[in-house]
Amino acid sequence: MKGRQNLLLLLAVVLLAALPLWLVEKPAPDALDAEGKPVEIFGGADGKAQELIGKINPDYQPWFQPLLEPASNEIASLLFALQAALGAGFIGYYLGSAVTREKLKREQEKQVDKARQASASEDNNRGKDAHAG
């Protein structure tokens, strides 16, 4: 039953990731937006924010320039994906180690309880033997 639930959840995740890519209509290759820029299907939040700032205050000047500017959008995407992968890896490692630490702690507590019960049982047996003998 649990395996079926996991399979259904995995299928739902795959569908949630794949359906938007499949259902979004692609713009024509030469389509331009209202400002004359090429239409992007999946533009980033940075581009949207920059566009909105330009609409709100056309004379806005950035406070500083970035220290490192990627040579192309592909390199910027690669760095973003690398950053996301490192973050996901760190979170996964932290959660995995926390779960393992808790599991080991519970196992250690069980062993201590078993040792106490065995010790108490031995004491009872010695007491019975001393009483009988």
Side-chain angles (χ1 to χ4, degrees), residues 49-88:
Q50 190 176 17
E51 184 178 311
L52 186 60
I53 290 170
K55 284 181 184 176
I56 294 171
N57 184 3
D59 298 328
Y60 176 79
Q61 294 295 322
W63 296 352
F64 59 91
Q65 296 296 320
L67 297 175
L68 172 70
E69 193 152 338
S72 68
N73 286 339
E74 289 81 13
I75 293 174
S77 295
L78 173 72
L79 292 174
F80 183 77
L82 181 65
Q83 178 185 3
L86 287 174

mmCIF file of all heavy atoms in Angstrom, residues 49-88:
data_model
loop_
_atom_site.group_PDB
_atom_site.id
_atom_site.type_symbol
_atom_site.label_atom_id
_atom_site.label_comp_id
_atom_site.label_asym_id
_atom_site.label_seq_id
_atom_site.Cartn_x
_atom_site.Cartn_y
_atom_site.Cartn_z
ATOM 1 N N ALA A 49 11.662 41.548 -12.647
ATOM 2 C CA ALA A 49 11.875 42.640 -11.691
ATOM 3 C C ALA A 49 12.539 43.829 -12.376
ATOM 4 O O ALA A 49 12.146 44.984 -12.154
ATOM 5 C CB ALA A 49 12.728 42.148 -10.526
ATOM 6 N N GLN A 50 13.515 43.546 -13.231
ATOM 7 C CA GLN A 50 14.199 44.621 -13.940
ATOM 8 C C GLN A 50 13.224 45.359 -14.859
ATOM 9 O O GLN A 50 13.242 46.590 -14.949
ATOM 10 C CB GLN A 50 15.351 44.032 -14.749
ATOM 11 C CG GLN A 50 16.266 45.050 -15.341
ATOM 12 C CD GLN A 50 17.449 44.379 -16.040
ATOM 13 O OE1 GLN A 50 17.420 43.187 -16.343
ATOM 14 N NE2 GLN A 50 18.478 45.161 -16.281
ATOM 15 N N GLU A 51 12.355 44.593 -15.498
ATOM 16 C CA GLU A 51 11.350 45.197 -16.381
ATOM 17 C C GLU A 51 10.385 46.076 -15.588
ATOM 18 O O GLU A 51 10.057 47.199 -16.007
ATOM 19 C CB GLU A 51 10.591 44.069 -17.084
ATOM 20 C CG GLU A 51 9.574 44.520 -18.094
ATOM 21 C CD GLU A 51 8.924 43.307 -18.745
ATOM 22 O OE1 GLU A 51 9.656 42.393 -19.178
ATOM 23 O OE2 GLU A 51 7.687 43.275 -18.796
ATOM 24 N N LEU A 52 9.935 45.594 -14.432
ATOM 25 C CA LEU A 52 9.005 46.348 -13.595
ATOM 26 C C LEU A 52 9.658 47.613 -13.047
ATOM 27 O O LEU A 52 9.039 48.684 -13.021
ATOM 28 C CB LEU A 52 8.503 45.463 -12.455
ATOM 29 C CG LEU A 52 7.411 46.058 -11.581
ATOM 30 C CD1 LEU A 52 6.174 46.385 -12.410
ATOM 31 C CD2 LEU A 52 7.061 45.104 -10.471
ATOM 32 N N ILE A 53 10.915 47.519 -12.630
ATOM 33 C CA ILE A 53 11.625 48.700 -12.135
ATOM 34 C C ILE A 53 11.752 49.732 -13.245
ATOM 35 O O ILE A 53 11.579 50.929 -13.031
ATOM 36 C CB ILE A 53 13.011 48.308 -11.577
ATOM 37 C CG1 ILE A 53 12.842 47.525 -10.281
ATOM 38 C CG2 ILE A 53 13.881 49.529 -11.342
ATOM 39 C CD1 ILE A 53 14.122 46.884 -9.777
ATOM 40 N N GLY A 54 12.007 49.264 -14.445
ATOM 41 C CA GLY A 54 12.100 50.175 -15.583
ATOM 42 C C GLY A 54 10.787 50.878 -15.864
ATOM 43 O O GLY A 54 10.768 52.046 -16.271
ATOM 44 N N LYS A 55 9.672 50.196 -15.622
ATOM 45 C CA LYS A 55 8.356 50.819 -15.824
ATOM 46 C C LYS A 55 8.060 51.830 -14.716
ATOM 47 O O LYS A 55 7.518 52.910 -14.964
ATOM 48 C CB LYS A 55 7.264 49.754 -15.836
ATOM 49 C CG LYS A 55 7.201 48.961 -17.102
ATOM 50 C CD LYS A 55 6.076 47.952 -17.038
ATOM 51 C CE LYS A 55 6.076 47.074 -18.288
ATOM 52 N NZ LYS A 55 5.052 46.020 -18.201
ATOM 53 N N ILE A 56 8.419 51.471 -13.473
ATOM 54 C CA ILE A 56 8.123 52.345 -12.333
ATOM 55 C C ILE A 56 9.000 53.591 -12.367
ATOM 56 O O ILE A 56 8.527 54.706 -12.182
ATOM 57 C CB ILE A 56 8.319 51.579 -11.004
ATOM 58 C CG1 ILE A 56 7.272 50.470 -10.891
ATOM 59 C CG2 ILE A 56 8.234 52.512 -9.813
ATOM 60 C CD1 ILE A 56 7.512 49.529 -9.724
ATOM 61 N N ASN A 57 10.288 53.402 -12.575
ATOM 62 C CA ASN A 57 11.221 54.524 -12.575
ATOM 63 C C ASN A 57 12.174 54.366 -13.758
ATOM 64 O O ASN A 57 13.217 53.721 -13.639
ATOM 65 C CB ASN A 57 11.995 54.555 -11.252
ATOM 66 C CG ASN A 57 12.902 55.756 -11.145
ATOM 67 O OD1 ASN A 57 12.931 56.614 -12.035
ATOM 68 N ND2 ASN A 57 13.648 55.825 -10.050
ATOM 69 N N PRO A 58 11.837 54.970 -14.886
ATOM 70 C CA PRO A 58 12.687 54.797 -16.077
ATOM 71 C C PRO A 58 14.103 55.358 -15.913
ATOM 72 O O PRO A 58 15.013 54.932 -16.606
ATOM 73 C CB PRO A 58 11.945 55.570 -17.172
ATOM 74 C CG PRO A 58 10.580 55.808 -16.665
ATOM 75 C CD PRO A 58 10.629 55.733 -15.176
ATOM 76 N N ASP A 59 14.307 56.283 -14.969
ATOM 77 C CA ASP A 59 15.633 56.875 -14.771
ATOM 78 C C ASP A 59 16.450 56.146 -13.706
ATOM 79 O O ASP A 59 17.503 56.629 -13.285
ATOM 80 C CB ASP A 59 15.484 58.353 -14.361
ATOM 81 C CG ASP A 59 14.797 59.165 -15.433
ATOM 82 O OD1 ASP A 59 14.977 58.832 -16.622
ATOM 83 O OD2 ASP A 59 14.071 60.119 -15.079
ATOM 84 N N TYR A 60 15.992 55.000 -13.258
ATOM 85 C CA TYR A 60 16.675 54.264 -12.184
ATOM 86 C C TYR A 60 18.068 53.838 -12.626
ATOM 87 O O TYR A 60 18.250 53.318 -13.726
ATOM 88 C CB TYR A 60 15.864 53.032 -11.785
ATOM 89 C CG TYR A 60 16.542 52.177 -10.760
ATOM 90 C CD1 TYR A 60 16.535 52.535 -9.422
ATOM 91 C CD2 TYR A 60 17.226 51.013 -11.127
ATOM 92 C CE1 TYR A 60 17.171 51.755 -8.471
ATOM 93 C CE2 TYR A 60 17.855 50.224 -10.191
ATOM 94 C CZ TYR A 60 17.820 50.614 -8.871
ATOM 95 O OH TYR A 60 18.453 49.844 -7.934
ATOM 96 N N GLN A 61 19.035 54.070 -11.754
ATOM 97 C CA GLN A 61 20.410 53.646 -11.994
ATOM 98 C C GLN A 61 20.779 52.629 -10.921
ATOM 99 O O GLN A 61 20.568 52.891 -9.726
ATOM 100 C CB GLN A 61 21.368 54.841 -11.913
ATOM 101 C CG GLN A 61 21.171 55.858 -13.011
ATOM 102 C CD GLN A 61 21.510 55.283 -14.378
ATOM 103 O OE1 GLN A 61 22.456 54.518 -14.521
ATOM 104 N NE2 GLN A 61 20.732 55.656 -15.382
ATOM 105 N N PRO A 62 21.315 51.478 -11.270
ATOM 106 C CA PRO A 62 21.726 50.502 -10.246
ATOM 107 C C PRO A 62 22.788 51.099 -9.329
ATOM 108 O O PRO A 62 23.588 51.945 -9.738
ATOM 109 C CB PRO A 62 22.296 49.337 -11.058
ATOM 110 C CG PRO A 62 21.804 49.529 -12.432
ATOM 111 C CD PRO A 62 21.529 50.990 -12.619
ATOM 112 N N TRP A 63 22.803 50.659 -8.081
ATOM 113 C CA TRP A 63 23.740 51.186 -7.094
ATOM 114 C C TRP A 63 25.156 50.730 -7.368
ATOM 115 O O TRP A 63 26.117 51.411 -7.071
ATOM 116 C CB TRP A 63 23.350 50.735 -5.705
ATOM 117 C CG TRP A 63 22.042 51.256 -5.255
ATOM 118 C CD1 TRP A 63 21.249 52.186 -5.878
ATOM 119 C CD2 TRP A 63 21.353 50.892 -4.077
ATOM 120 N NE1 TRP A 63 20.112 52.409 -5.172
ATOM 121 C CE2 TRP A 63 20.145 51.618 -4.045
ATOM 122 C CE3 TRP A 63 21.609 50.021 -3.052
ATOM 123 C CZ2 TRP A 63 19.233 51.507 -3.030
ATOM 124 C CZ3 TRP A 63 20.701 49.914 -2.035
ATOM 125 C CH2 TRP A 63 19.530 50.652 -2.018
ATOM 126 N N PHE A 64 25.293 49.524 -7.890
ATOM 127 C CA PHE A 64 26.631 48.988 -8.156
ATOM 128 C C PHE A 64 26.534 47.962 -9.284
ATOM 129 O O PHE A 64 25.447 47.513 -9.627
ATOM 130 C CB PHE A 64 27.229 48.349 -6.906
ATOM 131 C CG PHE A 64 26.403 47.231 -6.347
ATOM 132 C CD1 PHE A 64 26.626 45.923 -6.748
ATOM 133 C CD2 PHE A 64 25.393 47.481 -5.452
ATOM 134 C CE1 PHE A 64 25.865 44.890 -6.236
ATOM 135 C CE2 PHE A 64 24.614 46.451 -4.940
ATOM 136 C CZ PHE A 64 24.851 45.165 -5.327
ATOM 137 N N GLN A 65 27.678 47.640 -9.822
ATOM 138 C CA GLN A 65 27.746 46.634 -10.875
ATOM 139 C C GLN A 65 28.157 45.294 -10.264
ATOM 140 O O GLN A 65 28.904 45.274 -9.277
ATOM 141 C CB GLN A 65 28.767 47.041 -11.948
ATOM 142 C CG GLN A 65 28.401 48.310 -12.686
ATOM 143 C CD GLN A 65 27.108 48.153 -13.476
ATOM 144 O OE1 GLN A 65 26.875 47.110 -14.079
ATOM 145 N NE2 GLN A 65 26.265 49.173 -13.446
ATOM 146 N N PRO A 66 27.695 44.183 -10.820
ATOM 147 C CA PRO A 66 28.110 42.899 -10.271
ATOM 148 C C PRO A 66 29.612 42.681 -10.423
ATOM 149 O O PRO A 66 30.237 43.158 -11.377
ATOM 150 C CB PRO A 66 27.333 41.876 -11.099
ATOM 151 C CG PRO A 66 26.652 42.621 -12.172
ATOM 152 C CD PRO A 66 26.771 44.071 -11.921
ATOM 153 N N LEU A 67 30.190 41.961 -9.456
ATOM 154 C CA LEU A 67 31.626 41.683 -9.497
ATOM 155 C C LEU A 67 31.965 40.724 -10.628
ATOM 156 O O LEU A 67 32.997 40.849 -11.278
ATOM 157 C CB LEU A 67 32.087 41.088 -8.165
ATOM 158 C CG LEU A 67 31.940 41.981 -6.950
ATOM 159 C CD1 LEU A 67 32.310 41.232 -5.680
ATOM 160 C CD2 LEU A 67 32.779 43.223 -7.113
ATOM 161 N N LEU A 68 31.101 39.752 -10.830
ATOM 162 C CA LEU A 68 31.325 38.748 -11.868
ATOM 163 C C LEU A 68 30.083 38.677 -12.737
ATOM 164 O O LEU A 68 28.983 38.454 -12.239
ATOM 165 C CB LEU A 68 31.586 37.384 -11.228
ATOM 166 C CG LEU A 68 31.657 36.194 -12.164
ATOM 167 C CD1 LEU A 68 32.913 36.269 -13.010
ATOM 168 C CD2 LEU A 68 31.620 34.905 -11.370
ATOM 169 N N GLU A 69 30.252 38.894 -13.994
ATOM 170 C CA GLU A 69 29.119 38.804 -14.907
ATOM 171 C C GLU A 69 29.407 37.677 -15.894
ATOM 172 O O GLU A 69 30.422 37.701 -16.599
ATOM 173 C CB GLU A 69 28.923 40.121 -15.655
ATOM 174 C CG GLU A 69 27.601 40.154 -16.363
ATOM 175 C CD GLU A 69 27.089 41.576 -16.520
ATOM 176 O OE1 GLU A 69 27.514 42.460 -15.756
ATOM 177 O OE2 GLU A 69 26.299 41.775 -17.424
ATOM 178 N N PRO A 70 28.523 36.657 -15.927
ATOM 179 C CA PRO A 70 28.758 35.524 -16.830
ATOM 180 C C PRO A 70 28.814 35.983 -18.286
ATOM 181 O O PRO A 70 28.171 36.953 -18.694
ATOM 182 C CB PRO A 70 27.558 34.619 -16.593
ATOM 183 C CG PRO A 70 26.966 35.063 -15.312
ATOM 184 C CD PRO A 70 27.320 36.499 -15.143
ATOM 185 N N ALA A 71 29.603 35.242 -19.065
ATOM 186 C CA ALA A 71 29.810 35.617 -20.459
ATOM 187 C C ALA A 71 28.558 35.422 -21.303
ATOM 188 O O ALA A 71 28.383 36.107 -22.316
ATOM 189 C CB ALA A 71 30.959 34.797 -21.037
ATOM 190 N N SER A 72 27.681 34.492 -20.903
ATOM 191 C CA SER A 72 26.462 34.269 -21.679
ATOM 192 C C SER A 72 25.347 33.806 -20.752
ATOM 193 O O SER A 72 25.565 33.498 -19.583
ATOM 194 C CB SER A 72 26.713 33.218 -22.760
ATOM 195 O OG SER A 72 26.922 31.964 -22.156
ATOM 196 N N ASN A 73 24.142 33.765 -21.291
ATOM 197 C CA ASN A 73 22.992 33.319 -20.496
ATOM 198 C C ASN A 73 23.111 31.845 -20.133
ATOM 199 O O ASN A 73 22.618 31.425 -19.092
ATOM 200 C CB ASN A 73 21.702 33.559 -21.273
ATOM 201 C CG ASN A 73 21.337 35.020 -21.306
ATOM 202 O OD1 ASN A 73 21.786 35.803 -20.461
ATOM 203 N ND2 ASN A 73 20.531 35.399 -22.282
ATOM 204 N N GLU A 74 23.749 31.061 -21.000
ATOM 205 C CA GLU A 74 23.915 29.642 -20.706
ATOM 206 C C GLU A 74 24.811 29.440 -19.488
ATOM 207 O O GLU A 74 24.545 28.588 -18.637
ATOM 208 C CB GLU A 74 24.503 28.892 -21.914
ATOM 209 C CG GLU A 74 23.541 28.736 -23.064
ATOM 210 C CD GLU A 74 23.448 29.983 -23.924
ATOM 211 O OE1 GLU A 74 24.295 30.894 -23.784
ATOM 212 O OE2 GLU A 74 22.493 30.075 -24.721
ATOM 213 N N ILE A 75 25.868 30.227 -19.394
ATOM 214 C CA ILE A 75 26.759 30.124 -18.236
ATOM 215 C C ILE A 75 26.032 30.594 -16.982
ATOM 216 O O ILE A 75 26.166 29.998 -15.912
ATOM 217 C CB ILE A 75 28.052 30.932 -18.479
ATOM 218 C CG1 ILE A 75 28.847 30.273 -19.612
ATOM 219 C CG2 ILE A 75 28.898 30.995 -17.211
ATOM 220 C CD1 ILE A 75 30.056 31.052 -20.047
ATOM 221 N N ALA A 76 25.226 31.652 -17.117
ATOM 222 C CA ALA A 76 24.445 32.109 -15.963
ATOM 223 C C ALA A 76 23.476 31.022 -15.519
ATOM 224 O O ALA A 76 23.316 30.777 -14.318
ATOM 225 C CB ALA A 76 23.694 33.388 -16.322
ATOM 226 N N SER A 77 22.829 30.352 -16.476
ATOM 227 C CA SER A 77 21.920 29.257 -16.132
ATOM 228 C C SER A 77 22.675 28.118 -15.469
ATOM 229 O O SER A 77 22.194 27.506 -14.510
ATOM 230 C CB SER A 77 21.210 28.744 -17.386
ATOM 231 O OG SER A 77 20.390 29.736 -17.914
ATOM 232 N N LEU A 78 23.862 27.813 -15.985
ATOM 233 C CA LEU A 78 24.680 26.756 -15.393
ATOM 234 C C LEU A 78 25.043 27.087 -13.950
ATOM 235 O O LEU A 78 24.932 26.241 -13.063
ATOM 236 C CB LEU A 78 25.946 26.542 -16.222
ATOM 237 C CG LEU A 78 26.973 25.588 -15.615
ATOM 238 C CD1 LEU A 78 26.468 24.161 -15.696
ATOM 239 C CD2 LEU A 78 28.303 25.740 -16.318
ATOM 240 N N LEU A 79 25.467 28.331 -13.700
ATOM 241 C CA LEU A 79 25.820 28.728 -12.335
ATOM 242 C C LEU A 79 24.605 28.677 -11.414
ATOM 243 O O LEU A 79 24.700 28.262 -10.258
ATOM 244 C CB LEU A 79 26.438 30.129 -12.338
ATOM 245 C CG LEU A 79 27.811 30.232 -12.998
ATOM 246 C CD1 LEU A 79 28.243 31.695 -13.076
ATOM 247 C CD2 LEU A 79 28.827 29.411 -12.247
ATOM 248 N N PHE A 80 23.445 29.081 -11.953
ATOM 249 C CA PHE A 80 22.224 29.024 -11.147
ATOM 250 C C PHE A 80 21.875 27.574 -10.816
ATOM 251 O O PHE A 80 21.526 27.258 -9.671
ATOM 252 C CB PHE A 80 21.075 29.693 -11.901
ATOM 253 C CG PHE A 80 19.805 29.746 -11.114
ATOM 254 C CD1 PHE A 80 19.644 30.673 -10.101
ATOM 255 C CD2 PHE A 80 18.773 28.871 -11.383
ATOM 256 C CE1 PHE A 80 18.479 30.714 -9.364
ATOM 257 C CE2 PHE A 80 17.600 28.908 -10.661
ATOM 258 C CZ PHE A 80 17.457 29.841 -9.649
ATOM 259 N N ALA A 81 21.974 26.690 -11.812
ATOM 260 C CA ALA A 81 21.683 25.270 -11.578
ATOM 261 C C ALA A 81 22.679 24.669 -10.594
ATOM 262 O O ALA A 81 22.308 23.866 -9.736
ATOM 263 C CB ALA A 81 21.702 24.506 -12.896
ATOM 264 N N LEU A 82 23.944 25.062 -10.695
ATOM 265 C CA LEU A 82 24.959 24.579 -9.768
ATOM 266 C C LEU A 82 24.654 25.035 -8.348
ATOM 267 O O LEU A 82 24.747 24.264 -7.384
ATOM 268 C CB LEU A 82 26.342 25.061 -10.206
ATOM 269 C CG LEU A 82 27.511 24.617 -9.347
ATOM 270 C CD1 LEU A 82 27.677 23.114 -9.410
ATOM 271 C CD2 LEU A 82 28.784 25.301 -9.811
ATOM 272 N N GLN A 83 24.264 26.287 -8.219
ATOM 273 C CA GLN A 83 23.895 26.826 -6.908
ATOM 274 C C GLN A 83 22.702 26.068 -6.338
ATOM 275 O O GLN A 83 22.695 25.710 -5.150
ATOM 276 C CB GLN A 83 23.561 28.305 -7.055
ATOM 277 C CG GLN A 83 23.128 28.969 -5.782
ATOM 278 C CD GLN A 83 22.696 30.407 -6.030
ATOM 279 O OE1 GLN A 83 22.669 30.884 -7.163
ATOM 280 N NE2 GLN A 83 22.351 31.098 -4.971
ATOM 281 N N ALA A 84 21.691 25.796 -7.169
ATOM 282 C CA ALA A 84 20.515 25.056 -6.705
ATOM 283 C C ALA A 84 20.892 23.633 -6.305
ATOM 284 O O ALA A 84 20.415 23.110 -5.291
ATOM 285 C CB ALA A 84 19.443 25.047 -7.786
ATOM 286 N N ALA A 85 21.756 23.000 -7.080
ATOM 287 C CA ALA A 85 22.169 21.625 -6.761
ATOM 288 C C ALA A 85 22.949 21.572 -5.455
ATOM 289 O O ALA A 85 22.748 20.677 -4.629
ATOM 290 C CB ALA A 85 23.002 21.060 -7.905
ATOM 291 N N LEU A 86 23.840 22.531 -5.249
ATOM 292 C CA LEU A 86 24.601 22.568 -3.998
ATOM 293 C C LEU A 86 23.678 22.802 -2.802
ATOM 294 O O LEU A 86 23.831 22.173 -1.755
ATOM 295 C CB LEU A 86 25.681 23.656 -4.062
ATOM 296 C CG LEU A 86 26.869 23.345 -4.960
ATOM 297 C CD1 LEU A 86 27.787 24.571 -5.054
ATOM 298 C CD2 LEU A 86 27.642 22.155 -4.455
ATOM 299 N N GLY A 87 22.718 23.703 -2.974
ATOM 300 C CA GLY A 87 21.770 23.957 -1.889
ATOM 301 C C GLY A 87 20.932 22.729 -1.581
ATOM 302 O O GLY A 87 20.735 22.376 -0.411
ATOM 303 N N ALA A 88 20.444 22.053 -2.629
ATOM 304 C CA ALA A 88 19.646 20.845 -2.424
ATOM 305 C C ALA A 88 20.486 19.744 -1.789
ATOM 306 O O ALA A 88 20.021 19.022 -0.897
ATOM 307 C CB ALA A 88 19.067 20.368 -3.748
#
